Structure formats: C-alpha cells, structure tokens
Amino acid sequence: MARDNLAIVVKGYPRLSETFIAQEILGIQQAGIPYRIVSLRHPTDKKRHPINDRITGAVDYLPEYVYQEPMRVLRGWLKARKMPGYRRAVNIWWQDYRRDRTANRARRFAQAMVMAAELPDDVTRIYAHFLHTPASVARYCAIMRGLPWSCSAHAKDIYTSQDWDMREKLRDMDWLVTCTSANVDYLRTLAEDPDKVNLLYHGLDFSRFPEDLPARPLRDGTDADNPVRILSVGRLVGKKGYDDLLRALAKLPANLHWRFIHIGGGNGEKYKKLATELGIADRCDWQGARDQKEVIAACQSSDLFVLASRIEKDGDRDGLPNVLMEAQLCGLAAVSTAISAIPELIEDGVNGKLVPERDPDALAVALKALITDPRLRETMGRKGNEIVRRDFSFYRGMKDLAERFGVNFQSDEQAETPAEQPAAE
C-alpha cells in the first residue's frame, strides 16, 4: 500500500476549540505522512495553543466568500472546468443544491473549484474533518481531481446534517472514522457499506500531562475561606448547557461553600446576567479563552469538573468532549449528562455522576453529593484516570489512522516530551 500525500480539509485553522484536530495533524506529521492543511476559514481566535506551533505543514486558506476574492474563484473555475471530473462534480452539486438551496451550498462549490485548481499535483488523498461543509468541499474537489477521499466525523456535523447528504457522501468516500460508538451505530444505518464506518477515539497524548496526580486538599464546602473549586471548560454555546448548570448551582444549600470557574470562549454576557439574577454572580469566575497550559493548571488546582451537555432542537450536541477526558486524566471526578457518548467514558457512580440533560434539580443533587464528599471525589478521580489511560490513548487511534494512510506508525507515547497539553473541545 503506497503512502498517501494528504490534503486535510478543515473548517478553520487554528481553532482553540478544535485542538483535537491539531493533535491528530501533529500525529500525522510525526508519522512521516506528507500533508498540507486546507482551511475554509481564516482563524478568529486571539490565542492559539502551543501545539499549533509544532505543526509545520503548509496551510492554504480558501476564499471564505466569493465576493471577497472573485478573480481567484474565476481562475479556479477556468482551470477546474477542464478537469475530467468537473462535469460529474457539477451534476452532483446541482442535485445537492436542488435539495439545499442555500448560499452556503453554492459557496462550497466555489471553494472546491479553487481547491481543485490550486492543489499541488503530488496530493494523492483528500481527508476532511467534519461531515458537513468540509466534507462537501472535499467531495466536490475529489471528484474534479479524480482523487480518493475520506472523512473524520464528530458530533454537530452528523446530527445537524440531512440523512440524504450523509448517505451520498458515505457512498462516494473510501472510509470514515468517527469518535464515538454512538456515532458509529448511527452512521452505519445510513451507509450502503456499513464497514466503511469505523470507531476512532480522539484519545489523549498522556506525555503532555503531569504523570502524578496532584494531592488535593479535602475541601468539603464547610469552610467559607476555602470553598470547593468547581471547574467547567467549554464554549459558551447552547449545547454546553451552562444555563442549566447555573440554575443547578443556585439550588445548592446556602451554607455550602463553592466557587465556579469557567474557561472557554463565546459571548458570556447572558450567562453573567443569569448568574446575577440567580444571586450567585459573586461565586462565579469567568476566565474566558485560555491556552492548554492554563487549562491543565486549572484542572490540577480544582476539586470537581462539571459539563451539563444537552441536545439542541436542531440536533446539535457534544460527542465525547475531550475536556472530560482531560479532566479525568488530571484525576478530577466529573458530573455530566447521560447523552451521546459521554457514558462511554463516565460510568455513573464509578468515575463520576451522570444525570439527565436539562435537569437542574438532578444536577444540583449530584453536585452536592460530590462537593460534600472529598474522599468520594478522590476515589472517582483516580478511577477516571485509570479508565482514560486504559481506553483513550491517542497513539492507539493514531496507529490505526496512519495505517489507513499507508504508514506503519510506531511511537512510544511515554518518550514524548511534555511540551503542550491537548485541547479542550
């Protein structure tokens, strides 16, 4: 099997919330697989993770909107229209557009033409992260260029896409990997060949975390000067359930002493306003976006991790949030919701507590139980660390992925230099 030369299509690069993708790209680089990154959007985050500084592959930014670079799109069309697969790509795009008459669908075809025209001749495979728009661009471009293509699917891209769109992409691609068993089961119902769909956990590079668990103080919520530190890491978007979490925190007994620390980007004004209305604003610390050294430091100094994930009306949801794995690797007991693939990591009563989504009352009960019992938190945190180290190694998945790209990947994760920490989703 010949080694592939990859064009990796992503929605935006780099992104603070998608360092699991950066971790994989770095693994591809370490495996000696030639690659370049093709991004549909320019970066918008003010910070970047240190792991991105180690990624040395070229990055090609496609026109985000046709009106911004009309001559580049025109040049792309003039070259792409001469390609053997162009007519078939146009026919497929037109079928797609008739069912999805949006500017987004038209923009993706324009980006695909530019990508097809500008991609170096030595690229042998296109590999897309996310089954929605990046996979659309990858598919149209692959057809024009006559290249094989593959995909890595995650969460929102699966559950907010139309079945017909995913079904036809699965028909055209060589294979797909996805990061949860729940995703695998669902996508296999859509695939003509279910064997195309495979499980590949993101996993963590353990060498980037402190090997020893911290000795945490046995805080139990009785000391106002030494409150229990409750940490959550995630973007301030609906599917993360931060309004549910704030309502749960407000239901805790008034004489129970805790402090809530949030790390993550997004518009926090409505959540700060809600915290004020609930009377808990003075107990909340909104730290905004942080790099991974800061995230890991926060995990090391906190007592409990919480993520109130939920399924939105449009189907958007978390898959298996990397932040939960990271918190568990740092020895934090976790409180979360029993949706998507979270139960693939958190076993209720073993390494954390699971509650129904959108249930602040149940969430408050679970939080109170762990706030007041530091010994139970310690036991659950240690068990979580064991589970992550046993089942969620990045290198296990990277070996499988590298083999799909024609490389026998050998790496001793313990030999890696502890440089940067992998990302929170």
Side-chain angles (χ1 to χ4, degrees):
M1 180 178 177
R3 181 181 63 177
D4 280 317
N5 187 331
L6 302 176
I8 304 172
V9 183
V10 296
K11 194 166 187 180
Y13 181 85
R15 282 184 163 185
L16 282 173
S17 62
E18 294 177 1
T19 317
F20 61 96
I21 295 178
Q23 177 179 259
E24 182 182 282
I25 293 173
L26 181 60
I28 287 170
Q29 179 175 298
Q30 291 172 334
I33 301 167
Y35 74 94
R36 65 192 307 111
I37 300 166
V38 181
S39 178
L40 309 190
R41 293 180 178 176
H42 290 268
T44 57
D45 296 319
K46 295 180 180 178
K47 286 193 171 193
R48 57 187 277 146
H49 294 301
I51 193 171
N52 295 112
D53 295 331
R54 295 180 64 191
I55 294 171
T56 59
V59 183
D60 303 324
Y61 290 100
L62 299 176
E64 292 190 38
Y65 298 95
V66 174
Y67 73 86
Q68 293 175 330
E69 299 183 75
M71 295 309 297
R72 188 178 174 199
V73 174
L74 177 61
R75 289 193 299 270
W77 172 72
L78 289 172
K79 187 172 181 179
R81 66 193 291 266
K82 299 176 183 178
M83 295 177 181
Y86 175 77
R87 181 51 54 191
R88 178 170 176 254
V90 169
N91 290 338
I92 288 176
W93 171 78
W94 180 241
Q95 293 172 20
D96 293 344
Y97 184 72
R98 286 188 299 177
R99 293 172 289 186
D100 177 30
R101 292 181 180 271
T102 62
N104 178 66
R105 182 67 64 173
R107 185 163 60 247
R108 299 315 166 200
F109 193 75
Q111 290 181 312
M113 289 190 298
V114 172
M115 180 179 170
E118 297 180 357
L119 208 58
D121 291 338
D122 59 357
V123 169
T124 60
R125 175 176 294 277
I126 298 174
Y127 174 56
H129 263 284
F130 294 109
L131 191 50
H132 50 7
T133 49
S136 294
V137 174
R139 181 191 184 202
Y140 300 143
C141 177
I143 293 169
M144 291 183 216
R145 289 286 298 261
L147 292 173
W149 72 286
S150 309
C151 184
S152 179
H154 302 285
K156 177 179 180 178
D157 53 320
I158 299 171
Y159 298 103
T160 62
S161 293
Q162 296 294 321
D163 285 356
W164 62 263
D165 192 33
M166 294 188 288
R167 187 178 294 113
E168 292 173 14
K169 286 172 179 171
L170 285 164
R171 181 195 62 206
D172 283 356
M173 71 179 69
D174 282 356
W175 48 262
L176 177 142
V177 292
T178 187
C179 52
T180 75
S181 294
N183 291 350
V184 169
D185 293 342
Y186 178 62
L187 289 172
R188 282 181 173 172
T189 66
L190 301 177
E192 294 176 8
D193 179 3
D195 289 339
K196 282 188 177 183
V197 180
N198 299 273
L199 176 64
L200 186 74
Y201 285 122
H202 295 146
L204 300 180
D205 181 350
F206 303 148
S207 68
R208 295 179 184 146
F209 288 76
E211 186 172 345
D212 297 325
L213 297 181
R216 293 184 168 90
L218 298 179
R219 303 182 181 101
D220 62 3
T222 60
D223 186 351
D225 296 325
N226 194 19
V228 173
R229 296 171 60 88
I230 304 169
L231 175 66
S232 188
V233 181
R235 287 174 295 140
L236 290 168
V237 294
K239 69 178 178 180
K240 300 296 184 180
Y242 282 112
D243 48 349
D244 297 330
L245 175 54
L246 291 173
R247 291 187 174 93
L249 291 170
K251 293 177 180 293
L252 294 172
N255 63 350
L256 196 61
H257 302 288
W258 50 268
R259 184 156 190 81
F260 173 60
I261 301 105
H262 173 265
I263 293 176
N267 184 358
E269 292 308 312
K270 72 174 184 178
Y271 298 102
K272 293 176 183 178
K273 180 181 178 182
L274 177 59
T276 299
E277 292 172 355
L278 294 170
I280 58 173
D282 60 338
R283 296 186 177 198
C284 297
D285 182 4
W286 306 94
Q287 297 192 357
R290 293 288 184 268
D291 67 33
Q292 284 311 295
K293 289 181 180 178
E294 294 168 305
V295 170
I296 298 304
C299 286
Q300 294 289 100
S301 63
S302 296
D303 301 302
L304 176 63
F305 191 88
V306 59
L307 193 65
S309 300
R310 66 192 188 194
I311 300 173
E312 294 293 272
K313 291 180 180 179
D314 65 356
D316 190 12
R317 69 195 73 183
D318 279 327
L320 178 52
N322 267 30
V323 290
L324 280 172
M325 288 188 284
E326 293 165 358
Q328 293 263 280
L329 192 57
C330 290
L332 281 178
V335 177
S336 194
T337 50
I339 68 162
S340 302
I342 292 173
E344 294 176 34
L345 170 66
I346 306 295
E347 183 177 350
D348 186 42
V350 176
N351 55 328
K353 286 185 176 291
L354 293 179
V355 301
E357 62 171 320
R358 300 177 185 273
D359 191 339
D361 289 328
L363 188 55
V365 170
L367 287 169
K368 179 184 175 183
L370 289 181
I371 288 170
T372 58
D373 194 339
R375 294 294 185 186
L376 180 58
R377 293 199 307 267
E378 181 181 36
T379 299
M380 287 183 167
R382 290 189 177 278
K383 187 62 178 178
N385 175 274
E386 293 174 10
I387 290 171
V388 171
R389 290 188 176 276
R390 183 190 70 203
D391 297 335
F392 296 94
S393 165
F394 164 70
Y395 285 99
R396 182 184 303 174
M398 189 62 229
K399 183 175 185 297
D400 176 66
L401 189 64
E403 288 174 354
R404 293 179 182 277
F405 296 139
V407 172
N408 183 16
F409 181 57
Q410 300 291 334
S411 179
D412 180 359
E413 60 196 67
Q414 298 304 321
E416 295 293 322
T417 302
E420 324 78 13
Q421 284 73 26
E425 182 177 291

